[in-house]
């Protein structure tokens, strides 16, 4: 009972943390007048988190490089926003604002998913760098198309004047954003912690072996691209409600790369890592923009890049390995929550259904295994016993 | 212009290959190949291979390097499509099926260079093998919504995978990463994963490669165990002739893509043609 609760807490912790943040935000927003900039920052974070989680499905778990994720987002933003506008202008629907928003979400997600399906077909035939080029081209094509539309349809270069909730209550959009993050997590995490998720990671690890084991590679690859694109569309609709007008140039190549950076920094194949790094990078970006205004704005990209490089060095440099292992967040949490480390509990939980199969987690499991071997049965004795058993 | 239209028509035709009419025949054999062959351009890699493998047999495919043994495996598993001849599994023609469907029909294989899902745990590797079985059916929607069936299926799959691992003596290692297993155990895991797909015919591509004599003997016992316990038919490629003659009921010797000799191990390996191919005049 206690163990199952522990594993439950471990694997659903992210929901709890996000819900807690949402709650605190709501209370603060209702209790005190919130600065518009804070609210805007939170709104940016929610969009970035949804984007990063959905991209991590493709990059971290399917193992395909996609550089056109912003393209899916812009499709969601433009089409979802346009639909909402058309409906709002058609009649006075002030009362059912939320309903229009939900409809926009569904349509934006569906359109993005359709494009994901098309790009997914390219992914069936192309691998690695070539697929990256195709997705990049897709993102650029979408951007160019939306830039060159007429001002009546999608606003062209001036941008689409997008719908919004009442301007005074910007926090509503943030709360909706948090709910959408929870929904995204629910779908993607449950997908990965199931049969289909196992098949997807199998394709990442060895496509030939996956085929020979009877995994339908076509189906799973298309599924991943469709789901990932659909959630990018959802993020797009959220974005279009928060920003008016939306311009196609926002969703350029740089934005795709920024999301990719979030996924890579968070650790490939780690959803929680993506969430954390998306949050931190968005905050970093925002703060840099605030502090380096005016003439100093030129330095913004410089500092941003420098900080990213430092983070990557810190994460990977062999010389810092000891330091990393001694002072990290996981140790800190362990110290606070469970002072007595019980490796056997970790070991037994390690391959349960509710663990997302990630490289990082498996490495952790491995290190605990080695500890057990040293303390309990030695390596040699186990070997001998097994050989004896086989004879 | 007409030429251009013709070429476009040709290309469109190439995109939608004709449905191959597959027939079923009466057959006493698990696997029967009918003058199976493939040529890459002008090179005839394999030609005129006729294998007849009965149920519960352990059948060996031997030959010098480059004889086309692995190509035969690739033909049988749908990696390559045969340009000549065809093959039947329990009388059902399987020519032209893609790899995953060949597996669904009942042919599972291992690879010469081990191909495991390296970043997944051992038990998950086997569970991937169980993915397509009828009794573990569970749609993606059911999994995402976490309906009761998802939990039931996951639990059953895990139990079944553990059973399989137990047979191969890998139960203790089930939570380790597959890539961290020692070589011999990786081989065993690959066989376990192939067996998890519930095949009728198991193809083993050089299962004893890189093993020491002790491990080889262990492997021989394992393969016999598989045959008896799972009622399995095995076709294997091997260079170790001692291993082959100790294990196989019947063998076929290939050289330069053609069959040199077939029969029991003793007969075939003492065939003068075979001796010539291996040792020279």
């Amino acid at each position: 009972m206690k163990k199952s609760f522990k594993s439950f807490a471990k694997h659903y912790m992210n929901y709890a943390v996000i819900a807690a943040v949402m709650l605190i935000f709501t209370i603060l927003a209702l209790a005190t007048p919130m600065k518009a900039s804070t609210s805007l920052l939170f709104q940016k974070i929610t969009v970035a988190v949804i984007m990063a989680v959905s991209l991590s499905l493709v990059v971290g778990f399917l193992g395909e490089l996609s550089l056109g994720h912003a393209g899916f987002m812009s499709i969601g933003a433009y089409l979802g926003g346009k639909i909402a506008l058309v409906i709002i202008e058609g009649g006075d629907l002030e009362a059912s604002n939320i309903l229009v928003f939900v409809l926009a979400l569904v349509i934006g997600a569906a359109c993005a998913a359709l494009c994901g399906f098309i790009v997914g077909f390219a992914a069936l035939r192309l691998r690695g760098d070539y697929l990256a080029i195709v997705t990049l081209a897709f993102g650029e094509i979408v951007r160019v198309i939306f830039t060159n539309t007429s001002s009546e349809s999608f606003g062209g270069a001036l941008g689409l004047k997008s719908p919004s909730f009442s301007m005074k209550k910007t926090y509503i959009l943030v709360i909706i954003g948090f709910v959408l993050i929870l929904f995204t997590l629910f779908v993607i995490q449950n997908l990965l912690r199931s049969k289909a998720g196992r098949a997807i990671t199998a394709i990442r690890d060895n496509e030939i072996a996956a085929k020979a084991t009877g995994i339908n590679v076509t189906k799973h690859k298309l599924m991943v691209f469709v789901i990932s694109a659909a959630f990018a569309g959802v993020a797009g609709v959220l974005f279009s409600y928060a920003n008016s007008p939306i311009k196609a140039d926002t969703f350029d190549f740089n934005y795709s790369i920024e999301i990719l950076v979030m996924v890579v920094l968070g650790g490939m194949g780690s959803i929680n890592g993506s969430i954390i790094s998306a949050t931190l990078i968005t905050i970093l970006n925002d703060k840099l923009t605030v502090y380096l205004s005016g003439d100093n704005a030129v330095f913004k990209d410089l500092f941003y890049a420098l900080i990213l490089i430092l983070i990557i060095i810190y994460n990977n440099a062999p010389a810092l390995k000891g330091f990393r292992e001694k002072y990290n967040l996981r140790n800190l949490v362990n110290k606070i929550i469970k002072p007595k480390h019980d490796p056997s509990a970790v070991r037994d939980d390690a391959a349960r259904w509710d663990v997302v199969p990630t490289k990082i987690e498996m490495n952790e499991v491995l290190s605990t295994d080695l500890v057990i071997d040293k303390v309990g049965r030695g390596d040699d004795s186990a070997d001998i016993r097994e050989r004896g058993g086989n004879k | 212009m007409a030429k251009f239209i013709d070429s476009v028509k040709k290309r469109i035709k190439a995109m939608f290959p004709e449905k191959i009419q597959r027939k079923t025949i009466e057959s006493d054999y698990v696997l029967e190949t009918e003058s199976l062959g493939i040529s890459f351009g002008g090179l005839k890699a394999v030609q005129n291979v006729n294998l007849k493998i009965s149920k519960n047999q352990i059948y060996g495919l031997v030959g010098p390097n480059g004889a086309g043994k692995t190509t035969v495996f690739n033909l049988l598993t749908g990696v390559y499509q045969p340009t000549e001849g065809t093959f039947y599994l329990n009388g059902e023609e399987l020519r032209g099926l893609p790899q995953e469907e060949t597996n669904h029909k009942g042919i599972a294989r291992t690879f010469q260079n081990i191909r495991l899902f390296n970043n997944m745990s051992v038990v998950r590797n086997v569970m991937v093998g169980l993915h397509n079985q009828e009794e573990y059916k569970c749609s993606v929607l059911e999994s995402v919504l976490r309906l009761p069936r998802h939990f039931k299926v996951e639990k059953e799959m895990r139990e079944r995978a553990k059973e399989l691992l137990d047979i191969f003596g890998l139960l203790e290692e089930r939570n380790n990463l597959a890539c961290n297993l020692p070589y011999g155990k990786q081989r065993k895991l690959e066989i376990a994963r192939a067996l998890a797909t519930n095949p009728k015919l198991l193809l083993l591509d050089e299962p004893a490669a890189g093993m020491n004599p002790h491990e080889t003997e262990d492997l021989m016992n394992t393969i016999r165990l598989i045959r008896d316990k799972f009622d399995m038919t095995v076709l294997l490629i091997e260079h170790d002739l001692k291993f082959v003659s100790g294990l196989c009921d019947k063998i076929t010797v290939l050289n330069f893509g053609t069959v040199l000799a077939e029969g029991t191990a003793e007969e075939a390996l003492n065939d003068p043609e075979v001796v010539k191919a291996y040792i020279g005049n």
Side-chain angles (χ1 to χ4, degrees), chain A residues 69-187:
Chain A
H69 212 54
F72 298 122
M73 183 177 169
S74 75
I75 284 171
Y78 267 95
L79 292 175
K82 187 73 187 172
I83 287 291
L85 270 189
V86 167
I87 295 172
I88 289 171
E89 277 166 17
D92 51 338
L93 283 164
E94 276 298 315
S96 54
N97 247 342
I98 278 288
L99 212 71
V100 176
F101 179 72
V102 170
L103 194 72
L105 271 187
V106 171
I107 287 179
C111 293
L114 190 69
C115 292
F117 188 70
I118 294 163
V119 173
F121 264 105
L124 293 177
R125 304 220 157 192
L126 302 169
R127 317 232 57 225
D129 322 352
Y130 301 99
L131 180 66
I133 292 169
V134 167
T135 51
L136 194 159
F138 166 79
E140 289 301 289
I141 289 169
V142 170
R143 184 175 68 81
V144 169
I145 287 177
F146 281 127
T147 319
N148 289 310
T149 46
S150 64
S151 55
E152 295 90 51
S153 55
F154 287 108
L158 287 176
L160 178 72
K161 204 181 148 307
S162 57
S164 60
F165 293 119
S166 78
M167 285 310 280
K168 278 177 195 160
K169 296 177 181 170
T170 40
Y171 62 85
I172 291 179
L173 209 56
V174 180
I175 294 168
I176 291 175
F178 275 117
V179 173
L180 285 177
I181 290 179
L182 287 176
F183 177 64
T184 313
L185 260 187
F186 176 77
V187 172

Side-chain angles (χ1 to χ4, degrees), chain B residues 50-239:
Chain B
N50 294 298
L51 299 172
K52 287 189 167 61
I53 305 177
S54 316
K55 196 158 173 47
N56 285 346
Q57 245 179 3
I58 296 178
Y59 200 103
L61 200 59
V62 295
N65 287 327
K69 305 178 295 288
T70 301
T71 310
V72 170
F73 268 32
N74 285 341
L75 287 173
L76 293 177
T77 50
V79 178
Y80 300 144
Q81 301 303 341
T83 49
E84 300 148 35
T86 181
F87 61 101
Y88 303 90
L89 184 76
N90 285 332
E92 189 182 356
E93 191 175 6
L94 297 186
R95 181 173 58 108
L97 284 178
Q99 288 177 60
E100 58 265 23
E101 274 178 52
T102 320
N103 180 274
H104 300 169
K105 293 281 182 192
I107 298 182
R109 74 173 291 182
T110 66
F111 294 87
Q112 190 170 358
N113 43 344
I114 301 174
R115 289 179 187 275
L116 290 170
F117 306 128
N118 282 335
N119 294 310
M120 295 164 78
S121 65
V122 168
V123 68
R124 273 210 186 90
N125 266 272
V126 180
M127 283 165 83
V128 171
L130 293 170
H131 190 274
N132 281 303
Q133 315 248 315
E134 272 304 311
E135 62 258 46
Y136 306 124
K137 230 181 187 144
C138 172
S139 74
V140 176
L141 202 65
E142 278 172 314
S143 294
V144 168
L145 296 179
R146 285 287 188 264
L147 297 184
R149 171 118 120 235
H150 164 82
F151 294 103
K152 187 175 149 264
V153 162
E154 282 291 321
K155 199 176 166 208
E156 282 173 6
M157 277 173 101
R158 185 164 297 279
E159 290 308 315
R160 176 74 187 132
K162 276 187 190 167
E163 273 171 37
L164 275 169
L165 286 175
D166 201 15
I167 293 168
F168 287 89
L170 290 168
L171 195 59
E172 282 285 298
E173 323 260 0
R174 67 180 181 278
N175 291 338
N176 283 3
L177 276 191
C179 60
N180 290 52
L181 289 183
Y183 189 82
K185 286 184 178 174
Q186 288 196 0
R187 281 269 173 223
K188 280 185 178 174
L189 176 58
E190 212 187 9
I191 297 174
R193 187 185 67 193
L195 277 177
T197 63
N198 201 8
K200 299 182 181 89
L201 174 71
L202 183 64
L203 308 183
L204 304 175
D205 200 342
E206 298 206 18
M211 284 187 171
N212 63 31
H214 178 87
E215 284 175 320
T216 310
E217 198 174 314
D218 190 33
L219 184 74
M220 278 167 83
N221 291 333
T222 311
I223 293 174
R224 286 201 193 97
L225 180 91
I226 293 166
R227 177 189 58 187
D228 300 336
K229 195 150 189 162
F230 294 90
D231 204 17
M232 189 62 57
T233 315
V234 181
L235 172 62
L236 57 89
I237 292 176
E238 192 46 67
H239 278 297

Side-chain angles (χ1 to χ4, degrees), chain B residues 14-72:
Chain B
M15 278 167 75
F16 302 97
E18 278 175 52
K19 272 248 164 88
I20 299 169
Q21 290 293 323
R22 291 188 195 85
K23 56 185 180 188
T24 21
I25 57 163
E26 286 289 315
S27 173
D28 300 333
Y29 300 103
V30 171
L31 180 79
E32 192 175 347
T33 67
E34 235 176 54
S35 57
L36 195 67
I38 183 172
S39 34
F40 300 105
L43 175 77
K44 289 187 171 169
V46 170
Q47 43 179 327
N48 216 6
V49 172
N50 294 298
L51 299 172
K52 287 189 167 61
I53 305 177
S54 316
K55 196 158 173 47
N56 285 346
Q57 245 179 3
I58 296 178
Y59 200 103
L61 200 59
V62 295
N65 287 327
K69 305 178 295 288
T70 301
T71 310
V72 170

